[in-house]
Amino acid sequence: MASPARASAPIWLKVLVISMGLLIVAGFVVIVAEIGRRISTPNAAGSPAPAPGTRFTERIALPSGARVVSMNAAGDRLIVHVETQGGPSAAYIVDPRNGALLGTVEFPPAAGR
């Protein structure tokens, strides 16, 4: 009597399946490690936060006759809207953790309007 044929996959298919499984496991480990790193250091790219209870004073010079119209939080930044007398309106971007002026965006009046 003939023995039933044994069904087996080619060796290259077994190697392919095992390597893809290992890649999935390695990808999962990398994702979990990155999430853990980001949770433990949420503001690693930003400037260091002051110690608790530490106060700071920062003076940001405004043009003569300028007035602060509004302040809005945008992520980890503070946007201060400033209007000047007859001059352009501006937005001052401030780091609220240490009061540092990060940049200014000016909005000049439109020409020809």
Side-chain angles (χ1 to χ4, degrees):
M1 267 179 128
S3 64
R6 189 170 170 207
S8 69
I11 189 76
W12 65 269
L13 188 57
K14 289 180 184 178
V15 170
L16 185 65
V17 169
I18 290 171
S19 62
M20 286 191 296
L22 290 174
L23 283 173
I24 289 172
V25 170
F28 182 73
V29 168
V30 167
I31 290 172
V32 168
E34 182 65 17
I35 290 172
R37 185 187 66 82
R38 289 185 184 192
I39 287 174
S40 65
T41 57
N43 293 322
S47 59
T54 303
R55 293 180 180 226
F56 67 86
T57 300
E58 183 70 28
R59 293 186 183 265
I60 299 173
L62 296 177
S64 177
R67 68 183 184 97
V68 174
V69 177
S70 66
M71 291 190 287
N72 295 313
D76 60 347
R77 301 289 184 247
L78 181 66
I79 311 300
V80 181
H81 180 210
V82 176
E83 284 184 351
T84 59
Q85 292 177 345
S89 186
Y92 287 68
I93 296 101
V94 179
D95 185 348
R97 293 173 290 193
N98 58 14
L101 179 62
L102 301 175
T104 305
V105 178
E106 290 187 1
F107 306 101
R113 277 190 160 185

